[in-house]
């Protein structure tokens, strides 16, 4: 603490950031909680309906379908981003030169806007004209696997999840890689002298050492996947049917297409709770493993 | 730190005899496989972007009839001309610049101020305020869409630059405060005490010591946020109604014609135009950004 300060100076520095934060983050959270108790189309008077919206949520088939899809989206993103990041970061530590160049190349997709990525993948997945994916499958003789990826109900969810995974692998790779570099070398070499193989060194020394960073990246990747919206919304708009509908896209449509503000607020409250629960679970599981 | 690393280095690099494990590893098949994989992954990450660019200079007919993934028969810039004709690309870029600059300015200035109040000045209840800000890192932006849409329509802010700048800045503020706070921790207390003894008040110390010392952190905060804000889709898509206020991500959607017919080469040209400035800045300043990502997560 600065020895020479005043209440006024604290206020001068704190009030502006707090005011912006309150107006655009805290107030909307409160408003959403409030609105979720009403039925309102934005034009006629709003009606207090108590917990009806929440009751509706429980029995809303489309919502549960979207929730299941969101979990699928989450799993695919986590496997691609965290699994991919860990594997790629380990690979990077094993090469000697050009590491910095590869870090930059891996991070490139994260710089591109989601709209551009949606265009790109729409073209990669397309059938007529033949896109990159179907072209490659045809070229290697796997014609049987060619399909309209975005309109086939069985593949559409994976197809809208993969771009998000692809986009941020590099980001998590860089974070995990930095953590791996910090693992003390003498610890690993001592283990190698004791006869540990590469897997043992990885699971017994390197991975436990980077656990704090692993927790952070898992939380980041999970909360970002749970609020994922842009690419599925742009690629398919949730279709065909509800096969790629996520909780976020459903909430967006409920608010701005059906103008059902009350129910949309209920869904957005659900998204917040979902993120908080996920963070709580991650901390619980990953922290407990440490003590066990 | 240095004491533990230094002996390890000498044992693995300077020691010439064969027992040194790294000398064997260098020629092992595992090492070759990992090199190949590293290059392959780089191709997966970069090839789609390269293809985007190649398509943008490919003649339209060549793209439609020939192999769209081969090397183009000839190169043309017509697509770029069409891209500028069809859309409002210039206006989109200007809007994106305004929104990004506005939000970044708020994030840097307010983030620094908040971190200064929390970390350097300190006050009773600062822990609670810090926790309140940390909440904003976990809360998804979707919660703000409906309430802000309603609030904006009441006060007439819909379809304005502030309608995008305010939430973009507010949701990025917690991370920025966090990054500045963790940097301010490293400024030695003695520096402040010495300045204080010389009669400098909190404002002068902020302007003369904290601000100049944190320029590196400023670059990091600007880079990380510029990318997310420049690419923002959800706030712009919700709060912008008219053509004149559309930012780049929204403008790009104009290239999808009626019935989903897409002028792909012009679209990709437009994508290239909008992506290139960010890509160039990133390639120049990537060290600052990568450093920020690493330290941000590794301190948490």
């Amino acid at each position: 603490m600065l020895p020479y300060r005043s209440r006024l100076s604290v206020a001068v520095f704190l009030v502006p950031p707090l005011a912006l934060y309150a107006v655009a983050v805290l107030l909307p959270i409160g408003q959403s909680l409030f609105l979720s108790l009403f039925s309102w189309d934005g034009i006629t008077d709003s009606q207090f309906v108590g917990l009806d919206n929440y009751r509706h949520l429980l029995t809303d088939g489309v919502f549960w379908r979207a929730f299941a899809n969101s979990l699928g989206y989450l799993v695919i993103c986590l496997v691609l981003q965290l699994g991919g990041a860990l594997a790629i970061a380990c690979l990077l530590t094993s090469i000697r030169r050009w590491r910095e160049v590869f870090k930059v190349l891996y991070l490139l997709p994260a710089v591109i806007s989601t709209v551009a990525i949606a265009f790109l993948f729409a073209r990669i997945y397309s059938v007529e004209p033949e896109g990159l994916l179907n072209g490659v499958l045809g070229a290697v003789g796997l014609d049987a696997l060619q399909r309209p990826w975005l309109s086939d109900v069985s593949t559409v969810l994976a197809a809208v999840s993969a771009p998000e995974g692809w986009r941020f692998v590099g980001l998590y790779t860089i974070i995990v890689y930095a953590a791996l570099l910090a693992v003390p070398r003498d610890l690993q070499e001592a283990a190698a002298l004791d006869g540990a193989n590469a897997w043992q060194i990885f699971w017994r020394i390197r991975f436990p050492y980077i656990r704090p960073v692993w927790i952070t990246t898992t939380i980041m990747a999970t909360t970002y996947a749970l609020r994922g919206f842009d690419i599925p919304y742009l690629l398919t708009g949730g279709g065909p049917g509800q096969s790629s509908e996520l909780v976020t896209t459903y909430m967006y449509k409920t608010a701005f297409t059906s103008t059902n503000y009350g129910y949309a607020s209920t869904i957005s409250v659900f998204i917040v709770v979902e993120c908080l629960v996920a963070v709580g679970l991650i901390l619980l599981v990953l922290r407990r493993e440490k003590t066990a | 730190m240095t004491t533990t690393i230094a002996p390890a280095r000498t044992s693995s690099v300077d020691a010439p005899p064969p027992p040194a494990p790294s000398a064997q590893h260098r020629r092992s098949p595992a090492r070759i496989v990992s090199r190949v994989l590293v290059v392959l992954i780089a191709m997966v990450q970069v090839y789609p972007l390269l293809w985007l660019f190649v398509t943008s200079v490919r003649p339209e007919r060549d793209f439609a009839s020939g192999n769209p993934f081969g090397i183009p028969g000839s190169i043309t810039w017509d697509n770029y001309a069409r891209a500028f004709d069809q859309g409002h690309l210039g206006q989109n870029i200007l809007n994106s610049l305004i929104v990004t600059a506005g939000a970044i300015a708020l994030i840097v200035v307010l983030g620094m101020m908040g971190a200064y109040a929390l970390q350097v000045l300190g006050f009773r209840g600062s822990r609670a305020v810090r926790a309140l800000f940390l909440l904003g890192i976990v809360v998804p932006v979707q919660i703000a869409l409906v309430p802000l849409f309603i609030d904006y329509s009441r006060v007439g802010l819909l379809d304005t630059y502030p309608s995008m700048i305010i939430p973009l800045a507010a949701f990025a503020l917690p991370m920025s405060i966090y990054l500045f706070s963790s940097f301010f921790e490293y400024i030695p207390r003695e520096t402040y005490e010495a300045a204080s003894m010389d009669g400098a008040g909190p404002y002068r110390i902020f302007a003369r010591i904290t601000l100049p010392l944190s320029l590196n952190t400023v670059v990091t905060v600007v880079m990380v946020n510029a990318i997310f804000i420049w690419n923002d889709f959800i706030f712009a898509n919700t709060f912008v109604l008219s053509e004149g206020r559309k930012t780049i991500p929204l403008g790009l959607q104009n290239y999808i014609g009626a019935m989903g017919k897409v002028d792909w080469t012009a679209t990709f040209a437009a994508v290239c135009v909008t992506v290139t400035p960010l890509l160039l800045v990133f390639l120049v300043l990537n060290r600052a950004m990568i450093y920020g990502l690493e330290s941000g997560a590794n301190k948490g």
Side-chain angles (χ1 to χ4, degrees):
Chain A
M1 261 185 241
L2 205 63
Y4 190 80
R5 67 190 163 91
S6 63
R7 255 184 210 170
L8 179 70
S9 66
V10 170
V12 165
F13 283 105
L14 189 66
V15 167
L18 203 55
L20 176 76
Y21 184 67
V23 164
V25 180
L26 298 178
L27 181 69
I29 294 176
Q31 280 182 298
S32 285
L33 282 170
F34 182 74
L35 268 173
S36 71
L37 304 175
F38 287 81
S39 167
W40 190 36
D41 59 7
I43 301 159
T44 54
D45 285 343
S46 60
Q47 271 189 330
F48 182 79
V49 293
L51 293 176
D52 272 7
N53 283 328
Y54 289 90
R55 251 173 245 134
H56 180 207
L57 196 72
L58 291 177
T59 54
D60 182 354
V62 178
F63 169 78
W64 289 109
R65 180 74 202 270
F67 181 59
N69 286 339
S70 287
L71 293 182
Y73 182 84
L74 172 72
V75 169
I76 295 171
C77 286
L78 286 188
V79 168
L80 286 176
Q81 291 174 352
L82 295 180
L86 192 60
I88 298 170
C90 285
L91 278 177
L92 263 185
T93 59
S94 74
I95 67 163
R96 261 154 220 278
R97 282 182 293 168
W98 298 80
R99 287 168 171 185
E100 298 303 313
V101 175
F102 282 115
K103 273 158 79 175
V104 173
L105 293 181
Y106 291 166
L107 197 55
L108 273 185
V111 182
I112 312 295
S113 75
T114 47
V115 181
I117 287 178
F119 272 122
L120 186 63
F121 275 83
R123 199 60 186 73
I124 286 175
Y125 290 133
S126 81
V127 178
E128 184 58 49
E130 189 177 67
L132 181 61
L133 189 53
N134 287 321
V136 168
L137 286 174
V140 298
L142 290 170
D143 306 55
L145 288 177
Q146 290 178 333
R147 67 186 73 229
W149 299 90
L150 288 176
S151 44
D152 187 324
V153 177
S154 61
T155 56
V156 65
L157 187 63
V160 298
S161 314
E164 184 78 10
W166 170 76
R167 185 170 177 235
F168 282 130
V169 179
L171 181 77
Y172 296 108
T173 299
I174 283 165
I175 294 170
V176 173
Y177 172 75
L180 282 177
L181 281 193
V183 180
R185 276 192 87 116
D186 45 355
L187 217 60
Q188 299 176 54
E189 280 169 12
L193 284 178
D194 289 345
N197 61 31
W199 271 114
Q200 285 169 324
I201 292 178
F202 177 76
W203 280 118
R204 298 286 164 83
I205 294 172
R206 295 177 119 188
F207 192 70
Y209 200 88
I210 66 165
R211 188 185 298 278
V213 175
W214 188 249
I215 294 176
T216 318
T217 41
T218 308
I219 291 175
M220 268 171 79
T222 307
T223 54
Y224 276 107
L226 285 176
R227 64 182 86 163
F229 172 79
D230 299 16
I231 294 174
Y233 181 78
L234 289 162
L235 271 181
T236 63
Q242 270 96 35
S243 51
S244 63
E245 192 84 87
L246 304 182
V247 177
T248 48
T249 56
Y250 184 50
M251 174 256 158
Y252 199 84
K253 288 189 208 163
T254 307
F256 300 107
T257 310
S258 330
T259 56
N260 192 344
Y261 292 132
Y263 190 47
S265 298
T266 310
I267 303 175
S268 62
V269 169
F270 179 88
I271 297 172
V272 173
V273 172
E274 182 186 59
C275 284
L276 292 176
V277 168
V279 171
L281 281 178
I282 292 166
L283 289 177
L284 200 71
V285 171
L286 290 181
R287 284 244 169 100
R288 181 186 289 166
E289 270 177 30
K290 187 185 184 179
T291 52
Chain B
M1 190 81 177
T2 42
T3 48
T4 56
I5 287 172
R9 272 216 188 116
T10 45
S11 70
S12 68
V13 177
D14 294 344
S22 57
Q24 283 179 335
H25 271 244
R26 202 165 291 168
R27 271 177 229 99
S28 71
R31 179 135 292 184
I32 294 167
V33 169
S34 68
R35 274 188 199 168
V36 171
L37 282 176
V38 164
V39 174
L40 272 180
I41 295 160
M43 279 171 64
V44 170
Q45 295 301 93
V46 176
Y47 176 74
L49 307 178
L50 210 59
W51 178 69
L52 197 74
F53 174 72
V54 171
T55 305
S56 76
V57 294
R58 188 189 288 276
E60 214 182 346
R61 278 178 50 204
D62 187 43
F63 181 76
S65 57
N67 172 14
F69 302 103
I71 296 162
S74 60
I75 286 175
T76 171
W77 298 99
D78 289 356
N79 303 316
Y80 284 83
R82 265 205 329 287
F84 273 96
D85 282 348
Q86 281 175 13
H88 306 254
L89 211 47
Q91 182 69 48
N92 296 151
I93 292 172
L94 182 69
N95 290 340
S96 274
L97 281 174
I98 292 171
V99 170
T100 307
I104 293 279
L106 282 177
I107 290 167
V108 169
V109 173
L110 296 183
M112 213 187 274
M113 286 167 71
Y116 185 74
L118 288 167
Q119 190 73 39
V120 180
L121 297 179
F123 55 93
R124 284 177 114 204
S126 63
R127 284 174 64 101
V129 175
R130 197 186 292 265
L132 201 63
F133 274 119
L134 281 178
L135 179 75
I137 295 181
V138 185
V139 172
V141 298
Q142 277 93 357
I143 190 86
L145 294 177
V146 171
L148 284 183
F149 186 82
I150 294 166
D151 297 343
Y152 285 158
S153 65
R154 279 190 187 137
V155 297
L157 267 181
L158 272 185
D159 208 25
T160 61
Y161 295 123
S163 71
M164 290 175 271
I165 293 174
I166 290 169
L168 282 169
F171 274 92
L173 201 53
M175 199 56 186
S176 153
I177 288 183
Y178 175 74
L179 278 175
F180 278 117
S181 291
S182 36
F183 172 74
F184 291 169
E185 255 180 313
Y186 290 101
I187 300 181
R189 295 194 41 77
E190 290 76 18
T191 318
Y192 293 130
E193 274 156 19
S196 229
M197 298 276 267
D198 291 344
Y203 307 105
R204 187 183 286 255
I205 288 179
F206 181 76
R208 294 289 170 81
I209 298 176
T210 312
L211 182 73
L213 281 177
S214 37
L215 285 182
N216 278 332
T217 313
V218 170
V219 174
T220 304
V221 170
V222 169
M223 273 307 292
V224 173
N225 286 300
I227 290 175
F228 283 99
I229 292 170
W230 183 265
N231 291 337
D232 164 67
F233 172 73
I234 194 165
F235 287 128
N237 194 47
T238 313
F239 302 136
V240 167
L241 312 167
S242 68
E243 205 58 56
R245 286 285 181 278
K246 280 188 176 176
T247 54
I248 285 170
L250 293 186
L252 285 180
Q253 286 187 295
N254 287 351
Y255 290 88
I256 301 178
M259 311 298 286
K261 189 185 176 308
V262 183
D263 180 348
W264 285 105
T265 49
T267 305
F268 286 173
V271 170
C272 283
V273 169
T274 60
V275 154
T276 307
L278 202 59
L279 221 50
L280 289 179
V281 174
F282 169 70
L283 288 175
V284 174
L285 289 179
N286 63 67
R287 263 168 205 281
M289 185 184 164
I290 288 176
Y291 170 78
L293 293 173
E294 290 172 350
S295 58
N298 292 347
K299 270 177 208 143

